[in-house]
Amino acid sequence: MIQLKDVSVYYPNTEIPALHSINLSFDEGEFICVLGKSGAGKSTLIRCMNGLQQPSTGEVYWDGQPLAQKNNEQQRLVRREIGMIFQHFNLIPRLTVLQNALTGMFGYRSSLKNLLGIFSREEIETAKRILGVVGLTELEHRRVEYLSGGQKQRVGIARALLQRPRVFLGDEPVASLDPGTSNRIISLLKELHERHNLLSVMNLHDVELAKRFASRIIALKDGVVIFDGNPQEFTTDLFEETYNK
Ligand SMILES: Nc1ncnc2c1ncn2[C@@H]1O[C@H](COP(=O)(O)OP(=O)(O)OP(=O)(O)O)[C@@H](O)[C@H]1O
Ligand SMILES: [Mg+2]
């Protein structure tokens, strides 16, 4: 579904690449956790996958087609298929839970309707149903600024789901949450992932969470893939290699 072929990323004024000759394939149904210490290249990898970062060399493919060769409209359609889950939620604080969730549908509607905030009864019903799925029915009309971190993240997940994505991409989606809430949010993401047969790729800092939930672990070190495989095979030695050496 998504492929990276020989992808390297050099940021301006840096000598060491953030990613170095990355070759990876990602398929629907996979729940992938990307591990690596700070600066390893995890965010850069996610940004290459959603087209926000152009590789310096190599190519990113979506369904066999090079992303870079798609025109603006085609790239917009690709981005619509990606539900992004952010560490800091990226919600609009003064709007309610329901209003924030509805913005997930923007990619399917006219700009004018989006600007004016006009939604059909059916769209609102759909958004309310999804808020029910993530357990936020009672908070529909509360302004997001008054929610806890875990509740905000569930609004972010509802918004991403309303995009009808094929892919969930998360850049440290639970890094600002306590361990219990992190666990519940990842469980929810996994459940939705399975229900909709998505591809999910999440950068995580918590190896235990990754081992518990991932179907595949990718470990990055200095922009290079040092492990790609079954979570059970991610041994203590590999952990040391990833984080301490
Ligand atoms: N815009 C930029 N300009 C220059 N260098 C950058 C830029 N963004 C990232 N880098 C560098 O590229 C490397 C990889 O960064 P990246 O943000 O992908 O790491 P990361 O694994 O996500 O780290 P963290 O866990 O701290 O979020 C780092 O050395 C970083 O300093
Ligand atoms: Mg990062």
Side-chain angles (χ1 to χ4, degrees):
M1 185 168 172
I2 306 178
Q3 270 182 306
L4 277 71
K5 284 196 185 155
D6 255 330
V7 167
S8 296
V9 173
Y10 288 86
Y11 287 112
N13 307 319
T14 56
E15 277 166 26
I16 304 162
L19 292 178
H20 181 67
S21 283
I22 300 286
N23 286 290
L24 288 169
S25 284
F26 303 90
D27 283 312
E28 65 181 22
E30 292 191 293
F31 195 94
I32 299 165
C33 290
V34 181
L35 302 174
K37 66 181 174 191
S38 183
K42 306 180 296 296
S43 298
T44 305
L45 180 73
I46 295 279
R47 287 205 300 272
C48 285
M49 292 175 73
N50 69 15
L52 288 181
Q53 175 70 49
Q54 284 275 98
S56 311
T57 60
E59 200 83 67
V60 178
Y61 295 83
W62 263 76
D63 296 329
Q65 275 199 324
L67 196 51
Q69 282 173 25
K70 290 182 187 279
N71 63 28
N72 285 349
E73 175 60 11
Q74 289 166 328
Q75 294 212 6
R76 188 184 73 81
L77 293 179
V78 165
R79 272 201 278 277
R80 190 170 76 177
E81 298 195 305
I82 305 173
M84 285 294 301
I85 318 279
F86 299 94
Q87 176 182 358
H88 297 294
F89 322 124
N90 291 25
L91 303 171
I92 306 165
R94 296 198 154 268
L95 297 188
T96 65
V97 166
L98 180 61
Q99 287 167 326
N100 268 281
L102 282 165
T103 63
M105 292 178 170
F106 276 10
Y108 294 96
R109 296 154 32 91
S110 77
S111 323
L112 184 65
K113 275 191 179 167
N114 290 340
L115 195 68
L116 298 176
I118 299 169
F119 292 92
S120 68
R121 183 182 297 259
E122 198 185 338
E123 285 170 327
I124 291 173
E125 286 311 313
T126 306
K128 288 186 170 190
R129 186 173 51 77
I130 298 292
L131 286 173
V133 172
V134 301
L136 287 175
T137 299
E138 251 99 87
L139 299 174
E140 266 170 27
H141 300 295
R142 185 170 299 179
R143 277 201 206 172
V144 155
E145 60 193 333
Y146 302 126
L147 300 181
S148 72
Q151 290 165 342
K152 284 181 186 159
Q153 195 54 295
R154 282 187 279 146
V155 179
I157 293 169
R159 176 184 58 189
L161 271 180
L162 282 162
Q163 263 178 263
R164 288 182 258 144
R166 288 166 68 203
V167 184
F168 264 156
L169 288 183
D171 197 356
E172 301 183 23
V174 294
S176 33
L177 304 173
D178 64 80
T181 309
S182 297
N183 206 2
R184 280 192 292 279
I185 293 288
I186 296 284
S187 302
L188 175 63
L189 283 169
K190 182 80 185 268
E191 189 188 315
L192 298 168
H193 161 94
E194 282 169 0
R195 193 185 305 173
H196 299 281
N197 194 32
L198 306 177
L199 160 66
S200 297
V201 184
M202 305 280 157
N203 289 345
L204 293 184
H205 272 296
D206 186 330
V207 179
E208 286 314 309
L209 266 189
K211 286 182 110 166
R212 189 148 6 119
F213 289 100
S215 64
R216 172 178 168 196
I217 284 180
I218 293 172
L220 287 177
K221 184 172 190 177
D222 301 332
V224 175
V225 174
I226 60 163
F227 176 81
D228 178 3
N230 198 310
Q232 278 88 47
E233 289 158 16
F234 191 72
T235 55
T236 322
D237 284 351
L238 281 159
F239 174 90
E240 287 294 319
E241 169 84 17
T242 307
Y243 289 99
N244 296 331
K245 279 188 193 155

